[in-house]
Amino acid sequence: MIVEIVILAMIAAFLGLRLYSVLGQRAEHEEEAIPHRFDANDDERGPLAAPKAAAAIPARAPQRFDGLMPAVERGVREIAAADPRFDIIGFLEGAKGAYEMVLEAFWKGDRETLKELCDADVYASFSGAIDAREQAGQTLDNKLIRIEETRIHSAVLDGRIARVAVLFISDIAAVTRDSDGNVIAGSLDDAIESRDIWTFSRDVASPRPDWLLDETDEG
């Protein structure tokens, strides 16, 4: 009787070990699979993918037209509607940079830079003034001290051509020297306020983002 009980106990223990072994392996396999549920495949199509895709293309902030005269605001809005890339703040920053570059190029007689930034008529005017200055043996030793103000003076969309006039109020120290380097006009110690209205134009249908200076006037 005791022998039979011992044999039955050994059989029960053997079956228990087999059952534990099978269930234990299954549990281990299931636990290993859990960390991989949010790998690449699920991540690509799961709810976390939407915020990631949205963050890749930031929404463009709405443009503000505070302080513009009604006619100017109307023109700016027409240009912005025809050219989604037009941004009033970015345009003014670019116009300010172009103002500085054109002045420096004109003062130094840098025709190549002027040709890149101006249309044919404005370039011809600048180039003619440089020719006259060189023939007289004169050079300019001017310096842009600061730009006090930059604001849109007018804006119009004429067909596909956008034209925006910008008023620049700046302080410039102007000196003219003769062929020997002697000062014949002006002074670097006295800056003079300059008010310029420069008009920039661009074909809004063009893939190129460049604006050209196509008119200069005093403000």
Side-chain angles (χ1 to χ4, degrees):
M1 188 67 177
I2 296 175
V3 173
E4 292 178 355
I5 293 173
V6 171
I7 292 174
L8 291 174
M10 292 177 63
I11 293 173
F14 175 77
L15 292 175
L17 288 173
R18 290 289 297 169
L19 183 61
Y20 176 80
S21 176
V22 173
L23 294 177
Q25 290 179 1
R26 177 177 294 180
E28 288 176 0
H29 288 316
E30 290 176 353
E31 289 175 0
E32 289 176 358
I34 289 175
H36 298 284
R37 289 177 57 196
F38 298 102
D39 282 352
N41 291 335
D42 286 347
D43 190 38
E44 290 175 358
R45 63 176 180 271
L48 295 179
K52 188 179 296 184
I57 306 176
R60 181 178 175 181
Q63 298 196 55
R64 298 178 61 88
F65 304 100
D66 299 339
L68 296 179
M69 298 292 291
V72 176
E73 180 179 346
R74 183 166 57 251
V76 170
R77 289 187 181 277
E78 290 177 354
I79 294 172
D83 182 6
R85 294 175 297 181
F86 178 78
D87 175 73
I88 187 171
I89 296 177
F91 171 82
L92 284 175
E93 286 298 318
K96 184 177 178 180
Y99 179 73
E100 297 176 2
M101 292 177 63
V102 169
L103 287 181
E104 290 289 340
F106 174 66
W107 295 337
K108 294 178 180 179
D110 181 358
R111 292 179 175 82
E112 290 302 317
T113 298
L114 291 173
K115 187 177 294 185
E116 293 177 359
L117 298 175
C118 307
D119 74 355
D121 292 339
V122 174
Y123 170 74
S125 177
F126 280 134
S127 183
I130 293 173
D131 290 340
R133 194 171 69 215
E134 291 176 345
Q135 291 174 3
Q138 298 176 351
T139 57
L140 297 181
D141 189 14
N142 296 1
K143 183 178 181 181
L144 177 62
I145 306 301
R146 69 181 65 85
I147 298 178
E148 297 284 358
E149 185 177 353
T150 304
R151 71 170 183 265
I152 294 181
H153 182 264
S154 66
V156 63
L157 180 64
D158 184 9
R160 301 192 325 181
I161 305 301
R163 302 181 79 248
V164 182
V166 181
L167 170 65
F168 299 97
I169 302 177
S170 59
D171 294 331
I172 297 175
V175 171
T176 302
R177 300 182 184 273
D178 61 18
S179 57
D180 297 324
N182 299 315
V183 177
I184 59 177
S187 171
L188 288 177
D189 297 328
D190 298 321
I192 300 175
E193 182 182 89
S194 177
R195 300 174 66 92
D196 299 300
I197 297 177
W198 286 12
T199 302
F200 300 88
S201 65
R202 177 179 176 273
D203 183 346
V204 296
S206 171
R208 294 176 57 85
D210 306 330
W211 291 75
L212 291 178
L213 175 62
D214 76 356
E215 186 177 339
T216 62
D217 200 355
E218 295 182 359

